[in-house]
Amino acid sequence: QVQLVESGGGLVQPGGSLRLSCAASVSISSINAMGWFRQAPGKQRELVASISSGGRTNYADSVKGRFTISRDNTKNTVYLQMNSLKPEDTAVYYCNAVRVGSSAFNAWGQGTQVTVSS
């Protein structure tokens, strides 16, 4: 089973930036899609951004133009660059990886806290 380890969360002021990293225990070139989700207190987990093995990206409307997802296959790592952060971005951010077909899986990381506050 693949393991995902997130890092890069923390406390930042409104308007600031953070970069989250998600390191996978397997080659991410074999993973069909990787994404970042977030869950704020009292709310459902929601998709923030995703990237396919071919590099196609998808973003939630609330983060378009502010967040950028990318992947580095040589490091088996996916990143989420978050700029112009807002208090409403405060949540636990989770990395997700999905592989279909043989040896399929749907894996989650343990989550990293992002707090945007002055």
Side-chain angles (χ1 to χ4, degrees):
Q1 175 70 317
V2 63
Q3 292 185 338
L4 303 173
V5 179
E6 301 106 330
S7 61
L11 173 64
V12 63
Q13 292 187 342
S17 298
L18 283 175
R19 189 178 78 156
L20 305 183
S21 299
C22 172
S25 60
V26 299
S27 171
I28 66 171
S29 62
S30 69
I31 298 177
N32 297 93
M34 297 192 71
W36 289 95
F37 289 71
R38 67 186 181 188
Q39 187 167 19
K43 294 188 176 181
Q44 290 188 331
R45 190 173 296 189
E46 62 176 359
L47 174 66
V48 176
S50 64
I51 185 167
S52 71
S53 56
R56 179 173 296 182
T57 58
N58 180 53
Y59 296 93
D61 288 343
S62 60
V63 307
K64 282 181 180 177
R66 300 189 297 122
F67 291 10
T68 302
I69 189 171
S70 61
R71 58 194 292 164
D72 185 339
N73 288 358
T74 66
K75 296 182 178 180
N76 294 324
T77 300
V78 171
Y79 304 97
L80 184 69
Q81 178 66 44
M82 305 185 294
N83 299 328
S84 301
L85 283 160
K86 304 175 181 180
E88 52 262 43
D89 294 318
T90 296
V92 178
Y93 284 69
Y94 296 91
C95 181
N96 173 254
V98 175
R99 185 160 72 190
V100 300
S102 60
S103 302
F105 58 75
N106 184 353
W108 293 90
Q110 81 286 354
T112 185
Q113 177 70 46
V114 171
T115 301
V116 185
S117 175
S118 56

